[in-house]
Amino acid sequence: MNIPKLRFKEFNDEWQKKTLKSVSSYFKSGKSIKSNDILKNAPYPVYGGNGLRGYTNTFNFDGNASLIGRQGALCGNVTYVKGKNYMTEHAVIVQSNYDNYNKFLFYILLSMNLNQYSTQSAQPGLSVNKLLELFNYFPNIQEQEKIAKFLTTVDKKITNLENIITNLENQKKGLLQQIFSQKLRFKDKNGNNYPNWEKKQLSEYVFIYDGTHQTPKYTNGGIKFVSVENINNLSGTNKFISEKDFLKEFKNIPEKNDILMTRIGDVGTATLITQNEPLAYYVSLALFKQKKSIHMPFLLHYISTIYFQHELWKRTLHIAFPKKINKNEIGKCNLLVPCLEEQTKIANFLSAFDRKLENQKAQLEHWKQIKKGLLQQMFI
């Protein structure tokens, strides 16, 4: 029988095979718009092949609809819009007919992975006529409505978490600016101010190394190998080199409490190494090892500030492709350093904030996986 794996118990009718054309009352592309008519601030959103492009002063559609991106790298993406919007010729506007539930049609389009039907060319695209002939299985409108309302509840949870994360990230930016501009200061245990911060060069506090300049010979297992793309998740790398090559190439091995920072392509994204396990790294990363009294988690937070990022920017070779900062130039970056006790207080405060942020991000990922599973099991 044509029924989904996961279903509300009050429904038992078989789902019917139908084309998208037969369940739609509207299935058309939007209209072109001049690029200088797309603004940062205007009343009406502009949607194109890859989603939201900006805003404009006119609209060409008013209502609730699914939008399918039909051209561009993200063609096949599906968005649900409400009210007055401007849809370009690279977006397909879809509304259900009276026998089907509009929001259910949106979710079934999401489940269909429409990108797989795009033309394989320099500019991927989807044909409206081809989309119209695609089919799927549909229940009666009452079951459609219940599924759509259930999934909408899941989407609201995801949106709420995304908003919480955005607010926390904005709060952190404000805290970083307040703390590192010294407008917000911590007190010692007696309620007194700590000593003034001292201006120093980074090289006074850390030794700076870079990774291997040789193209590695990857293996199926062994020592993890990381580069720029792994900076936010070192353990997630799927590249390895042999222990023999590791011992031959690496004299300065990353250890717990060291910092790795990107220096080629992306410049200035850093992470703290939290465990002692062998780790190989490419020339695109710089390794910081403690030289004298500095709290390395404090330094990690300092690297992310606009003050240190500007120091890096001044010394980055922007005409190089990809852009890069030479290892020796990194050490010349200036920083303002408080006493070790205040460094520790600052780092502990910001790290606690980061844990709160990471917890929300983990919840968001959890709910996204739930939604992904539901889309796989609630449709045929």
Side-chain angles (χ1 to χ4, degrees), residues 201 203 208 263 315 325-333:
Q201 288 193 340
S203 59
I208 302 173
R263 71 175 197 90
R315 295 167 175 81
I325 184 169
N326 290 327
K327 182 186 68 171
N328 294 336
E329 289 296 311
I330 298 172
K332 296 176 184 177
C333 290

Side-chain angles (χ1 to χ4, degrees), residues 243-254:
E243 185 174 356
K244 179 181 177 181
D245 286 349
F246 178 69
L247 294 174
K248 178 182 176 182
E249 286 288 332
F250 291 90
K251 308 303 178 188
N252 301 295
I253 298 172

Side-chain angles (χ1 to χ4, degrees), residues 273-378:
I273 296 173
T274 57
Q275 53 190 357
N276 277 318
E277 69 168 324
L279 187 67
Y281 59 107
Y282 197 45
V283 65
S284 56
L285 297 177
L287 175 68
F288 300 167
K289 283 184 169 290
Q290 186 178 11
K291 180 187 291 187
K292 59 184 286 191
S293 184
I294 191 166
H295 190 61
M296 294 299 277
F298 167 84
L299 179 58
L300 177 72
H301 290 296
Y302 195 95
I303 289 169
S304 69
T305 65
I306 57 173
Y307 311 106
F308 192 80
Q309 291 293 312
H310 183 63
E311 288 289 313
L312 291 170
W313 185 87
K314 289 190 297 184
R315 295 167 175 81
T316 295
L317 297 171
H318 297 279
I319 59 172
F321 184 80
K323 68 179 180 179
K324 64 178 181 178
I325 184 169
N326 290 327
K327 182 186 68 171
N328 294 336
E329 289 296 311
I330 298 172
K332 296 176 184 177
C333 290
N334 295 311
L335 59 162
L336 289 170
V337 184
C339 69
L340 188 59
E341 187 175 318
E342 189 175 5
Q343 289 180 40
T344 304
K345 280 193 173 182
I346 290 169
N348 289 345
F349 175 77
L350 291 173
S351 295
F353 196 93
D354 280 345
R355 286 192 293 273
K356 183 178 180 181
L357 184 56
E358 289 306 313
N359 178 262
Q360 295 297 318
K361 288 181 177 180
Q363 287 189 52
L364 175 62
E365 183 58 31
H366 173 69
W367 278 96
K368 284 184 174 180
Q369 289 303 314
I370 288 175
K371 180 181 175 181
K372 182 178 178 181
L374 290 171
L375 288 173
Q376 291 172 345
Q377 296 185 69
M378 296 187 79

Side-chain angles (χ1 to χ4, degrees), residues 87-150:
M87 323 303 195
T88 75
E89 76 277 21
H90 295 150
V92 182
I93 309 159
V94 183
Q95 286 182 308
S96 70
N97 57 29
Y98 287 113
D99 295 325
N100 293 276
Y101 195 72
N102 204 27
K103 194 68 178 285
F104 177 84
L105 181 54
F106 161 70
Y107 285 115
I108 211 164
L109 290 170
L110 267 184
S111 73
M112 290 176 68
N113 184 25
L114 295 173
N115 182 264
Q116 66 181 304
Y117 303 107
S118 66
T119 56
Q120 301 302 312
S121 61
Q123 177 73 320
L126 288 166
S127 161
V128 172
N129 289 333
K130 186 175 182 179
L131 289 171
L132 284 167
E133 297 308 316
L134 296 178
F135 68 86
N136 212 313
Y137 293 88
F138 291 77
N140 62 50
I141 193 168
Q142 290 79 19
E143 188 172 0
Q144 289 185 30
E145 181 177 1
K146 186 146 190 177
I147 291 169
K149 287 183 175 179
F150 174 71

Side-chain angles (χ1 to χ4, degrees), residues 54-66:
Y55 300 84
T56 192
N57 290 312
T58 59
F59 65 91
N60 64 356
F61 190 87
D62 186 2
N64 299 348
S66 301

